[in-house]
C-alpha cells in the first residue's frame, strides 16, 4: 500500500498548494460595489475559498466521529455532532474584527453553552442519565475538536499570508510521516496500546524530529 500512499499524498499536497494559492489570489479580487459597501471591505476576505473546504471536512469528520463513538457504545448522534462542529467553526471564524478579546471569548463560550444545553435536550429523549452525559460529551467533543480547531486554521489565515497556513499544515503532515516510517522501522515500545496499538514512542520522537 506504500506506493498508493505516496501517489495519493503527492496529489493531495499538490491540490492543497493549488487551493491555497487560489485562496491567496482571490484576496486581491474586488467585491461588487454593493457587497463591498455592506461588508466594509474592498476585496474578498482571506479564507473565502478555504472556508467551504474546511466546513466540508469538519462535517465529514463529525459524522465519522459519531460513528466511531457509537461503535464504543456511546449514543452519539451524527446530526448533533455535525451541527455542533459547524457551530464551533462558524463562531470561531466569524468573530467580528472589531470585537475585543473579552467579547470574542464570551461569544465562543456562549456558543459552547448553547451546544451543551441543546445537546442535553436532544439526547434526553431516549437515554438514561449516564447515556445523556456520554452523548452530550460526544457533541461537545465535536464542537471543540472539529469546530474550534478547524476555526484556528481560519484564524491563522485571516491574520496571515496563505503560505504561513501551508507551513502549519506541512509541519503537521511531516510529523505524521516521520512517526509512521520511524515506527515501522524501529518502533518497539507502545505509546498508548488501548487507544492506538500501532503507535510507538520511537515513532513519536521520529515525527517530532522530522
Amino acid at each position: 500500500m506504500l506506493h498508493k500512499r505516496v501517489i495519493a499524498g503527492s496529489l493531495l499536497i499538490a491540490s492543497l498548494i493549488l487551493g491555497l494559492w487560489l485562496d491567496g489570489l482571490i484576496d486581491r479580487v474586488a467585491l461588487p460595489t454593493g457587497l463591498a459597501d455592506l461588508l466594509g471591505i474592498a476585496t474578498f476576505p482571506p479564507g473565502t475559498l478555504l472556508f467551504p473546504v474546511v466546513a466540508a471536512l469538519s462535517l465529514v469528520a463529525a459524522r465519522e466521529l459519531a460513528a466511531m463513538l457509537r461503535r464504543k457504545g456511546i449514543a452519539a448522534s451524527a446530526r448533533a455532532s455535525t451541527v455542533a462542529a459547524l457551530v464551533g467553526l462558524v463562531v470561531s471564524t466569524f468573530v467580528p474584527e472589531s470585537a475585543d478579546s473579552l467579547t470574542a471569548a464570551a461569544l465562543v463560550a456562549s456558543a459552547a453553552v448553547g451546544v451543551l444545553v441543546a445537546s442535553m435536550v436532544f439526547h434526553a429523549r431516549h437515554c438514561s442519565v449516564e447515556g445523556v452525559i456520554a452523548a452530550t460529551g460526544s457533541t461537545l467533543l465535536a464542537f471543540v475538536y472539529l469546530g474550534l480547531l478547524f476555526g484556528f486554521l481560519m484564524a491563522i489565515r485571516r491574520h496571515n499570508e496563505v503560505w504561513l497556513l501551508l507551513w502549519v499544515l506541512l509541519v503537521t503532515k511531516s510529523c505524521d510521516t516521520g512517526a509512521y516510517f520511524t515506527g515501522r522501522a524501529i518502533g518497539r515500545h507502545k505509546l498508548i496500546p488501548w487507544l492506538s496499538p500501532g503507535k510507538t514512542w520511537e515513532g513519536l520522537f521520529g515525527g517530532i524530529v522530522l
Side-chain angles (χ1 to χ4, degrees), residues 20-113:
L20 291 177
W21 175 75
L22 291 174
D23 189 79
L25 187 65
I26 202 173
D27 285 357
R28 294 183 287 274
V29 176
L31 283 168
T33 303
L35 188 57
D37 293 338
L38 178 64
L39 297 177
I41 54 177
T43 62
F44 283 93
T48 298
L49 295 183
L50 181 64
F51 179 78
V53 175
V54 171
L57 288 175
S58 67
L59 295 183
V60 171
R63 297 186 68 85
E64 180 62 27
L65 176 64
M68 181 176 67
L69 292 174
R70 283 198 300 270
R71 289 194 292 269
K72 296 298 183 179
I74 297 174
S77 166
R79 286 183 296 169
S81 295
T82 52
V83 170
L86 188 58
V87 170
L89 175 62
V90 169
V91 74
S92 58
T93 299
F94 295 107
V95 171
E97 292 281 355
S98 58
D100 56 37
S101 57
L102 182 60
T103 301
L107 288 172
V108 175
S110 298
V113 172

Side-chain angles (χ1 to χ4, degrees), residues 138-149:
S138 72
T139 306
L140 284 177
L141 178 62
F143 173 81
V144 176
Y145 186 51
L146 302 175
L148 297 187
L149 285 185

Side-chain angles (χ1 to χ4, degrees), residues 13 16-17 165-176:
I13 291 172
L16 173 65
I17 294 174
L165 180 57
L166 177 63
W167 175 78
V168 171
L169 295 174
L170 290 181
V171 166
T172 305
K173 187 58 181 175
S174 296
C175 183
D176 184 47

